[in-house]
Short mmCIF file of all heavy atoms in Angstrom, two decimals:
data_model
loop_
_atom_site.label_atom_id
_atom_site.label_comp_id
_atom_site.label_asym_id
_atom_site.label_seq_id
_atom_site.Cartn_x
_atom_site.Cartn_y
_atom_site.Cartn_z
N VAL A 20 98.48 112.11 78.78
CA VAL A 20 97.56 111.95 77.65
C VAL A 20 96.14 112.39 77.95
O VAL A 20 95.32 112.49 77.04
CB VAL A 20 97.55 110.49 77.14
CG1 VAL A 20 98.93 110.09 76.64
CG2 VAL A 20 97.03 109.53 78.20
N CYS A 21 95.83 112.69 79.19
CA CYS A 21 94.46 113.06 79.57
C CYS A 21 94.11 114.44 79.01
O CYS A 21 94.74 115.43 79.38
CB CYS A 21 94.30 113.05 81.09
SG CYS A 21 92.62 113.45 81.62
N PRO A 22 93.07 114.52 78.18
CA PRO A 22 92.72 115.82 77.59
C PRO A 22 91.97 116.76 78.52
O PRO A 22 91.83 117.95 78.23
CB PRO A 22 91.85 115.43 76.39
CG PRO A 22 91.21 114.15 76.80
CD PRO A 22 92.26 113.44 77.64
N VAL A 23 91.50 116.24 79.67
CA VAL A 23 90.70 117.08 80.57
C VAL A 23 91.28 117.20 81.97
O VAL A 23 90.64 117.74 82.87
CB VAL A 23 89.23 116.58 80.65
CG1 VAL A 23 88.54 116.75 79.32
CG2 VAL A 23 89.16 115.15 81.14
N ASP A 24 92.49 116.71 82.19
CA ASP A 24 93.16 116.82 83.49
C ASP A 24 92.29 116.30 84.63
O ASP A 24 92.08 116.98 85.63
CB ASP A 24 93.58 118.27 83.75
CG ASP A 24 94.58 118.78 82.73
OD1 ASP A 24 95.33 117.95 82.18
OD2 ASP A 24 94.61 120.00 82.50
N CYS A 25 91.79 115.08 84.50
CA CYS A 25 90.90 114.52 85.52
C CYS A 25 91.63 113.73 86.60
O CYS A 25 91.00 113.25 87.54
CB CYS A 25 89.82 113.67 84.87
SG CYS A 25 90.40 112.14 84.13
N PHE A 26 92.94 113.58 86.49
CA PHE A 26 93.68 112.81 87.49
C PHE A 26 93.98 113.66 88.72
O PHE A 26 94.26 114.85 88.62
CB PHE A 26 94.98 112.25 86.90
CG PHE A 26 94.74 111.07 86.01
CD1 PHE A 26 94.55 111.25 84.65
CD2 PHE A 26 94.67 109.79 86.53
CE1 PHE A 26 94.30 110.17 83.83
CE2 PHE A 26 94.42 108.71 85.72
CZ PHE A 26 94.23 108.90 84.36
N ARG A 27 93.93 113.02 89.87
CA ARG A 27 94.28 113.64 91.14
C ARG A 27 95.38 112.80 91.77
O ARG A 27 95.39 111.58 91.65
CB ARG A 27 93.06 113.70 92.08
CG ARG A 27 91.84 114.39 91.48
CD ARG A 27 92.10 115.88 91.23
NE ARG A 27 90.93 116.54 90.67
CZ ARG A 27 90.80 116.89 89.40
NH1 ARG A 27 91.74 116.60 88.53
NH2 ARG A 27 89.73 117.53 88.98
N ILE A 28 96.30 113.46 92.46
CA ILE A 28 97.46 112.76 93.01
C ILE A 28 97.41 112.73 94.53
O ILE A 28 97.17 113.74 95.19
CB ILE A 28 98.78 113.39 92.51
CG1 ILE A 28 99.98 112.55 92.95
CG2 ILE A 28 98.89 114.86 92.94
CD1 ILE A 28 101.27 112.92 92.24
N GLY A 29 97.62 111.53 95.07
CA GLY A 29 97.71 111.34 96.51
C GLY A 29 99.10 110.89 96.88
O GLY A 29 99.99 110.79 96.01
N PRO A 30 99.32 110.60 98.14
CA PRO A 30 100.66 110.22 98.60
C PRO A 30 101.24 109.01 97.89
O PRO A 30 102.44 108.96 97.63
CB PRO A 30 100.47 109.93 100.09
CG PRO A 30 99.25 110.70 100.47
CD PRO A 30 98.37 110.72 99.26
N ASN A 31 100.39 108.01 97.58
CA ASN A 31 100.95 106.82 96.94
C ASN A 31 100.07 106.20 95.85
O ASN A 31 100.22 105.04 95.51
CB ASN A 31 101.36 105.77 97.98
CG ASN A 31 100.20 105.14 98.70
OD1 ASN A 31 99.06 105.59 98.61
ND2 ASN A 31 100.48 104.07 99.43
N MET A 32 99.15 106.99 95.30
CA MET A 32 98.37 106.53 94.15
C MET A 32 97.71 107.71 93.46
O MET A 32 97.68 108.82 94.01
CB MET A 32 97.32 105.48 94.53
CG MET A 32 96.01 106.01 95.10
SD MET A 32 94.71 104.76 95.36
CE MET A 32 94.20 104.36 93.69
N LEU A 33 97.17 107.47 92.29
CA LEU A 33 96.37 108.45 91.57
C LEU A 33 94.91 108.01 91.64
O LEU A 33 94.62 106.83 91.83
CB LEU A 33 96.76 108.51 90.09
CG LEU A 33 98.19 108.90 89.75
CD1 LEU A 33 98.40 108.80 88.24
CD2 LEU A 33 98.49 110.30 90.23
N VAL A 34 94.00 108.95 91.46
CA VAL A 34 92.58 108.64 91.28
C VAL A 34 92.07 109.50 90.13
O VAL A 34 92.72 110.45 89.70
CB VAL A 34 91.73 108.89 92.56
CG1 VAL A 34 92.15 107.94 93.68
CG2 VAL A 34 91.79 110.33 93.01
N ILE A 35 90.89 109.15 89.66
CA ILE A 35 90.24 109.90 88.58
C ILE A 35 89.01 110.59 89.15
O ILE A 35 88.19 109.95 89.83
CB ILE A 35 89.85 108.98 87.42
CG1 ILE A 35 91.11 108.45 86.73
CG2 ILE A 35 88.93 109.70 86.42
CD1 ILE A 35 90.85 107.43 85.63
N ASP A 36 88.88 111.86 88.86
CA ASP A 36 87.70 112.61 89.27
C ASP A 36 86.57 112.25 88.31
O ASP A 36 86.63 112.58 87.12
CB ASP A 36 87.98 114.11 89.21
CG ASP A 36 86.83 114.95 89.71
OD1 ASP A 36 85.67 114.49 89.65
OD2 ASP A 36 87.07 116.09 90.12
N PRO A 37 85.53 111.56 88.79
CA PRO A 37 84.46 111.11 87.89
C PRO A 37 83.65 112.26 87.29
O PRO A 37 83.02 112.09 86.25
CB PRO A 37 83.59 110.22 88.78
CG PRO A 37 83.85 110.71 90.16
CD PRO A 37 85.27 111.17 90.17
N ASP A 38 83.69 113.42 87.92
CA ASP A 38 82.97 114.57 87.38
C ASP A 38 83.73 115.23 86.23
O ASP A 38 83.15 115.99 85.46
CB ASP A 38 82.71 115.61 88.47
CG ASP A 38 81.77 115.09 89.54
OD1 ASP A 38 80.90 114.24 89.22
OD2 ASP A 38 81.92 115.51 90.70
N GLU A 39 85.02 114.97 86.13
CA GLU A 39 85.84 115.56 85.08
C GLU A 39 86.12 114.59 83.93
O GLU A 39 86.32 115.01 82.79
CB GLU A 39 87.18 116.04 85.66
CG GLU A 39 87.05 117.12 86.70
CD GLU A 39 86.55 118.43 86.13
OE1 GLU A 39 86.87 118.75 84.98
OE2 GLU A 39 85.81 119.13 86.85
N CYS A 40 86.15 113.29 84.22
CA CYS A 40 86.48 112.28 83.21
C CYS A 40 85.43 112.28 82.09
O CYS A 40 84.23 112.26 82.36
CB CYS A 40 86.55 110.91 83.87
SG CYS A 40 86.96 109.57 82.72
N ILE A 41 85.91 112.30 80.85
CA ILE A 41 84.98 112.28 79.70
C ILE A 41 84.91 110.89 79.07
O ILE A 41 84.35 110.73 77.99
CB ILE A 41 85.36 113.34 78.66
CG1 ILE A 41 86.79 113.12 78.14
CG2 ILE A 41 85.18 114.75 79.23
CD1 ILE A 41 87.17 114.00 76.94
N ASP A 42 85.50 109.90 79.71
CA ASP A 42 85.41 108.50 79.27
C ASP A 42 86.04 108.28 77.90
O ASP A 42 85.56 107.48 77.12
CB ASP A 42 83.94 108.06 79.28
CG ASP A 42 83.79 106.56 79.44
OD1 ASP A 42 84.69 105.93 80.01
OD2 ASP A 42 82.77 106.03 78.96
N CYS A 43 87.12 108.99 77.63
CA CYS A 43 87.77 108.87 76.32
C CYS A 43 88.66 107.64 76.21
O CYS A 43 88.97 107.19 75.12
CB CYS A 43 88.55 110.13 75.98
SG CYS A 43 90.00 110.40 77.03
N ALA A 44 89.13 107.13 77.34
CA ALA A 44 89.93 105.90 77.44
C ALA A 44 91.36 106.02 76.92
O ALA A 44 92.05 105.02 76.83
CB ALA A 44 89.22 104.73 76.76
N VAL A 45 91.83 107.21 76.60
CA VAL A 45 93.21 107.31 76.12
C VAL A 45 94.23 106.97 77.20
O VAL A 45 95.36 106.60 76.90
CB VAL A 45 93.52 108.69 75.48
CG1 VAL A 45 92.69 108.93 74.25
CG2 VAL A 45 93.38 109.80 76.47
N CYS A 46 93.83 107.07 78.45
CA CYS A 46 94.74 106.77 79.56
C CYS A 46 94.94 105.27 79.78
O CYS A 46 95.98 104.85 80.30
CB CYS A 46 94.22 107.40 80.85
SG CYS A 46 92.56 106.87 81.33
N VAL A 47 93.98 104.47 79.41
CA VAL A 47 93.99 103.04 79.72
C VAL A 47 95.25 102.34 79.22
O VAL A 47 95.94 101.66 80.00
CB VAL A 47 92.71 102.34 79.21
CG1 VAL A 47 92.78 100.84 79.41
CG2 VAL A 47 91.49 102.92 79.90
N PRO A 48 95.62 102.46 77.95
CA PRO A 48 96.81 101.73 77.49
C PRO A 48 98.13 102.31 78.01
O PRO A 48 99.17 101.67 77.90
CB PRO A 48 96.73 101.83 75.96
CG PRO A 48 95.90 103.04 75.70
CD PRO A 48 94.93 103.12 76.85
N GLU A 49 98.09 103.49 78.58
CA GLU A 49 99.31 104.13 79.08
C GLU A 49 99.77 103.57 80.43
O GLU A 49 100.92 103.73 80.80
CB GLU A 49 99.12 105.63 79.20
CG GLU A 49 98.79 106.32 77.89
CD GLU A 49 99.87 106.12 76.84
OE1 GLU A 49 101.07 106.25 77.18
OE2 GLU A 49 99.51 105.85 75.69
N CYS A 50 98.87 102.95 81.18
CA CYS A 50 99.21 102.49 82.53
C CYS A 50 100.00 101.18 82.48
O CYS A 50 99.49 100.16 82.03
CB CYS A 50 97.93 102.30 83.35
SG CYS A 50 98.30 101.80 85.05
N PRO A 51 101.23 101.20 82.99
CA PRO A 51 102.06 99.99 82.95
C PRO A 51 101.62 98.90 83.92
O PRO A 51 102.11 97.77 83.83
CB PRO A 51 103.46 100.50 83.29
CG PRO A 51 103.26 101.77 84.01
CD PRO A 51 101.96 102.35 83.52
N VAL A 52 100.69 99.20 84.84
CA VAL A 52 100.22 98.17 85.78
C VAL A 52 98.74 97.86 85.58
O VAL A 52 98.11 97.24 86.43
CB VAL A 52 100.52 98.56 87.25
CG1 VAL A 52 102.01 98.56 87.51
CG2 VAL A 52 99.89 99.88 87.61
N ASP A 53 98.17 98.29 84.46
CA ASP A 53 96.77 97.98 84.12
C ASP A 53 95.82 98.41 85.24
O ASP A 53 94.89 97.69 85.60
CB ASP A 53 96.62 96.49 83.81
CG ASP A 53 95.34 96.17 83.08
OD1 ASP A 53 94.83 97.04 82.34
OD2 ASP A 53 94.82 95.05 83.26
N ALA A 54 96.06 99.59 85.80
CA ALA A 54 95.28 100.06 86.95
C ALA A 54 94.05 100.87 86.56
O ALA A 54 93.26 101.23 87.42
CB ALA A 54 96.15 100.91 87.87
N ILE A 55 93.86 101.17 85.28
CA ILE A 55 92.74 102.01 84.87
C ILE A 55 91.73 101.19 84.08
O ILE A 55 92.09 100.54 83.09
CB ILE A 55 93.23 103.21 84.02
CG1 ILE A 55 94.29 104.00 84.80
CG2 ILE A 55 92.05 104.10 83.64
CD1 ILE A 55 95.01 105.04 83.97
N LYS A 56 90.49 101.24 84.52
CA LYS A 56 89.40 100.51 83.85
C LYS A 56 88.21 101.42 83.69
O LYS A 56 87.97 102.32 84.51
CB LYS A 56 88.96 99.31 84.70
CG LYS A 56 90.02 98.28 84.98
CD LYS A 56 90.24 97.39 83.80
CE LYS A 56 91.21 96.27 84.17
NZ LYS A 56 91.95 95.79 83.06
N ALA A 57 87.41 101.15 82.67
CA ALA A 57 86.11 101.80 82.57
C ALA A 57 85.27 101.30 83.73
O ALA A 57 85.39 100.14 84.14
CB ALA A 57 85.45 101.45 81.25
N GLU A 58 84.44 102.16 84.28
CA GLU A 58 83.66 101.79 85.45
C GLU A 58 82.89 100.49 85.24
O GLU A 58 82.82 99.64 86.13
CB GLU A 58 82.71 102.92 85.82
CG GLU A 58 82.02 102.74 87.15
CD GLU A 58 81.20 103.95 87.56
OE1 GLU A 58 81.51 105.08 87.13
OE2 GLU A 58 80.25 103.75 88.33
N GLU A 59 82.33 100.31 84.06
CA GLU A 59 81.56 99.10 83.79
C GLU A 59 82.43 97.84 83.66
O GLU A 59 81.93 96.72 83.71
CB GLU A 59 80.67 99.26 82.55
CG GLU A 59 81.43 99.48 81.27
CD GLU A 59 81.68 100.94 80.93
OE1 GLU A 59 81.51 101.84 81.78
OE2 GLU A 59 82.09 101.20 79.79
N ASP A 60 83.74 98.02 83.54
CA ASP A 60 84.66 96.89 83.42
C ASP A 60 85.41 96.58 84.72
O ASP A 60 86.27 95.70 84.74
CB ASP A 60 85.68 97.15 82.31
CG ASP A 60 85.03 97.24 80.94
OD1 ASP A 60 83.97 96.63 80.74
OD2 ASP A 60 85.59 97.95 80.08
N VAL A 61 85.11 97.30 85.78
CA VAL A 61 85.77 97.06 87.06
C VAL A 61 85.31 95.70 87.59
O VAL A 61 84.11 95.44 87.68
CB VAL A 61 85.45 98.18 88.07
CG1 VAL A 61 85.99 97.84 89.45
CG2 VAL A 61 86.00 99.51 87.59
N PRO A 62 86.26 94.82 87.93
CA PRO A 62 85.86 93.51 88.47
C PRO A 62 85.19 93.66 89.84
O PRO A 62 85.40 94.68 90.52
CB PRO A 62 87.18 92.75 88.57
CG PRO A 62 88.24 93.80 88.63
CD PRO A 62 87.70 94.98 87.87
N PRO A 63 84.41 92.68 90.24
CA PRO A 63 83.68 92.78 91.51
C PRO A 63 84.56 93.16 92.70
O PRO A 63 84.16 93.98 93.53
CB PRO A 63 83.07 91.39 91.69
CG PRO A 63 82.95 90.85 90.31
CD PRO A 63 84.11 91.43 89.54
N GLU A 64 85.76 92.61 92.77
CA GLU A 64 86.63 92.91 93.91
C GLU A 64 87.13 94.36 93.88
O GLU A 64 87.58 94.89 94.88
CB GLU A 64 87.81 91.93 93.99
CG GLU A 64 88.78 92.00 92.85
CD GLU A 64 88.40 91.16 91.63
OE1 GLU A 64 87.28 90.61 91.57
OE2 GLU A 64 89.24 91.05 90.73
N GLY A 65 87.04 95.02 92.72
CA GLY A 65 87.49 96.40 92.61
C GLY A 65 86.39 97.43 92.76
O GLY A 65 86.67 98.63 92.76
#
Side-chain angles (χ1 to χ4, degrees):
V20 299
C21 182
V23 294
D24 298 332
C25 69
F26 284 91
R27 305 294 181 256
I28 187 167
N31 68 349
M32 82 173 288
L33 299 176
V34 295
I35 292 175
D36 184 335
D38 295 330
E39 298 292 327
C40 181
I41 59 171
D42 205 26
C43 68
V45 297
C46 58
V47 174
E49 299 301 316
C50 183
V52 293
D53 197 29
I55 304 170
K56 300 281 186 208
E58 190 174 333
E59 63 269 13
D60 295 333
V61 173
E64 65 274 9

